[in-house]
Amino acid sequence: MFQIFTDFASWLIYDLLGLSAQTKLGDVLHFFVEDVTKIFALLLVMIYLIALMRASLNVERVRDYLASKPKGLGYLMGSGFGVVTPFCSCSSIPVFLGFTSAGIPLGITMSFLITSPLINEVAILLLMSLLGIKFTILYVVVGMSVGMLGGFFLDAIKAERWLQSFAAEALKRGQQHSTANNPDDIQTQALTLSQRHQFAKTEMFDIFGRVWKWVIIGVGLGAALHGFVPDGWIEAHLGDGQWWSVPAAVLLGIPLYSNATGVIPVMESLIVNGLPIGTTLAFCMSTVAASFPEFILLKQVMQWRLLAILFCLLLVAFTLVGWLFNAFTPFL
């Protein structure tokens, strides 16, 4: 689905500029162009489509449907949607904004945001070939559980109060009362196609104007760090399986940036060279879902308190996952 962005980056960096894919500069610039164009396209398309839907449909039905079901089902649906969407952590943010604008409860949205970068169909297939079906199933279950529990916890502490003002206002608008009791909603339903388009376009450019520069900064940081995974150092210092090696691996993965597919070869290299599976998974999950570029982008929709809570939540979750896998590896 995203091959067009890869092809464009290859044409621009390798063909037009003449850089080699074998050089560090060529690899870094290719990574930067591919991710920026992909995220920009997702931002524009997803925000426009969600806004168009809000102007055209009664999105409260979705909210009311979720509200009428047990919360656990909502978290499962959000986490499950994260599994089937092949997004990295930064690419998930446009969908997060769309969910927020549609009034989807924050816990469900966060279940998606946490799970999406951790699991996708390509990563699952690669993990099966690398670790076997038992580890892969356990990884998927654990990854979805992290997303669901994260969503439950953030709902429990009413984390929506720590969204940035424009995101909080979008969530509030989306969670207005049913159409029958809200004249504004009835008026929205009567908009012409041209008016719906204008509403969606205005919202698209308004949100895009707030975050585009942070996409460049965040992906630029990720590109600068791309490919600099110090696997030899990791193997030498964290390969003995001490209890502290798992949180150390999590902390080490934070400055780095990759997606679930791109991190699999790194995972294979670490495991082949003797790093325990749990420590390897903790490092890779941190690299994929708790990177600095992601949090730079999230800062545009979340206040510092919510960012800090999410950050600590992920670090604790990944550490527990690493300890769990290290403890159960002999039995799998």
Side-chain angles (χ1 to χ4, degrees), residues 38 82-83 85-89 115-124 126-127 139 257-267 284-285 287-289:
K38 178 175 66 177
V83 171
T85 49
F87 300 150
C88 66
S89 56
T115 305
S116 180
L118 293 177
I119 309 170
N120 64 49
E121 63 274 19
V122 177
I124 290 173
L126 291 174
L127 273 175
Y139 177 79
Y257 175 53
S258 182
N259 57 36
T261 303
V263 84
I264 298 298
V266 177
M267 183 184 298
C284 293
M285 292 173 85
T287 301
V288 168

Side-chain angles (χ1 to χ4, degrees), residues 115-299:
T115 305
S116 180
L118 293 177
I119 309 170
N120 64 49
E121 63 274 19
V122 177
I124 290 173
L125 291 174
L126 291 174
L127 273 175
M128 281 187 180
S129 65
L130 176 62
L131 299 177
I133 190 169
K134 289 183 180 179
F135 272 107
T136 303
I137 292 174
L138 183 57
Y139 177 79
V140 172
V141 170
V142 169
M144 291 185 65
S145 298
V146 168
M148 293 172 63
L149 291 173
F152 168 78
F153 175 75
L154 292 169
D155 262 349
I157 64 173
K158 302 186 184 303
E160 61 272 10
R161 56 188 161 154
W162 298 314
L163 290 171
Q164 294 288 6
S165 57
F166 86 97
E169 289 168 6
L171 179 64
K172 185 178 180 179
R173 287 196 303 269
Q175 292 181 331
Q176 293 299 317
H177 204 265
S178 64
T179 299
N181 296 320
N182 193 333
D184 292 336
D185 287 339
I186 297 174
Q187 183 180 2
T188 298
Q189 295 293 318
L191 292 177
T192 67
L193 180 60
S194 176
Q195 290 172 323
R196 296 169 193 164
H197 165 70
Q198 188 60 42
F199 171 81
K201 186 177 71 171
T202 300
E203 182 143 322
M204 175 184 71
F205 283 120
D206 179 55
I207 296 178
F208 185 82
R210 294 175 183 269
V211 301
W212 69 267
K213 56 183 175 294
W214 299 104
V215 171
I216 293 177
I217 293 172
V219 175
L221 175 60
L225 296 169
H226 178 65
F228 289 93
V229 180
D231 52 341
W233 187 93
I234 295 173
E235 296 149 10
H237 293 82
L238 303 179
D240 294 333
Q242 303 95 326
W243 70 267
W244 54 264
S245 65
V246 173
V250 172
L251 292 174
L252 186 62
I254 293 170
L256 308 176
Y257 175 53
S258 182
N259 57 36
T261 303
V263 84
I264 298 298
V266 177
M267 183 184 298
E268 181 177 16
S269 172
L270 295 173
I271 291 174
V272 167
N273 286 281
L275 197 68
I277 290 177
T279 309
T280 301
L281 285 175
F283 169 76
C284 293
M285 292 173 85
S286 176
T287 301
V288 168
S291 64
F292 280 155
E294 177 191 11
F295 280 88
I296 289 175
L297 294 181
L298 283 176
K299 177 60 181 70

Side-chain angles (χ1 to χ4, degrees), residues 1-21:
M1 181 170 66
F2 297 126
Q3 186 62 37
I4 186 174
F5 303 108
T6 303
D7 293 342
F8 173 75
S10 298
W11 170 79
L12 179 63
I13 302 302
Y14 301 146
D15 298 338
L16 189 62
L17 297 183
L19 296 176
S20 171

Side-chain angles (χ1 to χ4, degrees), residues 46-47 49-51 53-55 57-68 71 74-75 94-110 155 160 163 166-178 185 199 203 207:
M46 291 301 301
I47 294 171
L49 290 178
I50 293 292
M53 180 185 70
R54 288 172 52 214
L57 302 174
N58 184 4
V59 296
E60 285 75 16
R61 290 183 179 178
V62 177
R63 177 180 61 82
D64 292 342
Y65 173 81
L66 293 172
S68 67
K71 281 192 173 182
Y75 303 137
V95 185
F96 172 86
L97 289 171
F99 280 10
T100 301
S101 298
I104 304 298
L106 184 64
I108 296 174
T109 304
M110 293 303 297
D155 262 349
E160 61 272 10
L163 290 171
F166 86 97
E169 289 168 6
L171 179 64
K172 185 178 180 179
R173 287 196 303 269
Q175 292 181 331
Q176 293 299 317
H177 204 265
S178 64
D185 287 339
F199 171 81
E203 182 143 322
I207 296 178

